[in-house]
């Protein structure tokens, strides 16, 4: 991810404008060994660049575990053990209880990362564009969207060809390459598996790939 933020900084230097907005679409954790490092980076971007960080479904599940140890089995299915390991927490044996892991995780979770979690948004609108993690439910006004849809929805949104109130920029559903449609663009290129993290720059109605 540091390579992408370097590209963002370089693009801003090469093409300076009066005001830039940096938006991240969520799923910063799980599925890889660097979850804690990614949150370190986002904590810096939030302060230094006033970045907008959206909530992905993986963050939502981790937030749930921070409140309720019973969520652990579900989180582990999504890659939670890799996130725990990035904080130095390991499942020592099969008798390790969810309560113990929860206690260790709460103790290891730094204040800076708590602040990142508090700053997460479910959606962000700018001009003619709407940024969300997963998508929106068609025919529902943006202000009435269910937060769970914004971070979990798939088929109802992906199969829709109708124009929405705003052009939707999203991730959540992995694609081999950025998927540009008349009503949306999906930039989730499964970086955890492919090593390809996609970043776009939007100026007016123009979408550029960094």
């Amino acid at each position: 991810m540091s390579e992408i933020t370097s590209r963002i900084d370089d693009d801003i230097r090469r093409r300076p404008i009066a005001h830039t907005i940096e938006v991240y679409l969520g799923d910063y954790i799980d599925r890889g060994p660097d979850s804690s490092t990614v949150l370190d980076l986002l904590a810096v971007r939030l302060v230094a660049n006033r970045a907008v960080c959206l909530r992905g479904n993986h963050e939502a599940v981790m937030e749930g575990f921070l409140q309720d140890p019973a969520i652990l089995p579900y989180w582990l299915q999504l890659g939670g053990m890799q996130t725990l390991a990035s904080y130095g927490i390991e499942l020592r044996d099969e008798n390790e209880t969810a309560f113990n892991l929860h206690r260790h995780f709460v103790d290891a979770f730094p204040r800076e990362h708590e602040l990142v979690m508090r700053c997460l948004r479910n959606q962000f609108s700018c001009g003619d564009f709407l940024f969300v993690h997963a998508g929106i439910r068609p025919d529902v006004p943006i202000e009435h969207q269910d937060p769970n849809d914004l971070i979990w929805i798939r088929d109802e949104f992906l199969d829709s060809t109708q124009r929405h109130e705003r052009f939707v920029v999203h991730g959540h559903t992995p694609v081999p390459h950025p998927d540009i449609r008349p009503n949306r663009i999906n930039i989730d290129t499964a970086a955890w598996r492919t090593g390809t993290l996609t970043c776009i720059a939007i100026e007016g109605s123009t979408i550029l790939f960094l």
Side-chain angles (χ1 to χ4, degrees), residues 132-203:
V132 294
H133 174 66
I136 63 175
R137 187 164 295 280
D139 297 318
V140 176
I142 292 173
E143 63 270 21
H144 296 309
Q145 290 284 329
D146 185 332
N148 282 328
D149 284 334
L150 299 175
I151 63 175
W152 287 102
I153 198 168
R154 289 195 196 273
D155 293 344
E156 298 92 333
F157 168 68
L158 298 175
D159 294 341
S160 174
T161 59
Q162 71 182 63
R163 298 296 180 103
H164 307 297
E165 293 176 62
R166 293 182 175 87
F167 187 85
V168 181
V169 182
H170 69 99
H172 185 55
T173 301
V175 287
H177 47 76
D179 184 11
I180 307 175
R181 305 291 179 96
N183 59 352
R184 63 180 179 84
I185 178 172
N186 180 359
I187 61 171
D188 185 343
T189 45
W192 66 274
R193 185 177 66 239
T194 65
T196 301
L197 183 60
T198 297
C199 178
I200 61 174
I202 300 174
E203 289 190 32

Side-chain angles (χ1 to χ4, degrees), residues 34-94:
D34 300 317
S35 297
S36 177
T37 302
V38 171
L39 292 185
D40 282 339
L41 189 151
L42 290 177
V44 173
R45 305 299 287 196
L46 276 166
V47 174
N49 295 38
R50 296 184 178 178
V52 174
C53 296
L54 301 184
R55 174 178 288 101
N57 57 300
H58 286 261
E59 287 77 51
V61 174
M62 184 181 75
E63 288 174 313
F65 176 67
L66 283 166
Q67 298 297 320
D68 183 3
I71 292 176
L72 179 65
Y74 183 63
W75 188 28
L76 295 184
Q77 295 177 33
L78 299 179
M81 188 52 66
Q82 291 166 294
T83 296
L84 290 171
S86 76
Y87 289 91
I89 301 167
E90 297 182 358
L91 188 64
R92 292 189 292 267
D93 59 63
E94 60 184 19

Side-chain angles (χ1 to χ4, degrees), residues 108-129:
F109 203 65
R111 174 68 173 167
E112 294 81 3
H113 295 186
E114 290 181 15
L115 294 176
V116 171
M117 293 296 107
R118 291 182 185 179
C119 290
L120 295 182
R121 306 189 194 186
N122 291 322
Q123 60 172 285
F124 176 71
S125 293
C126 183
D128 295 327
F129 294 85

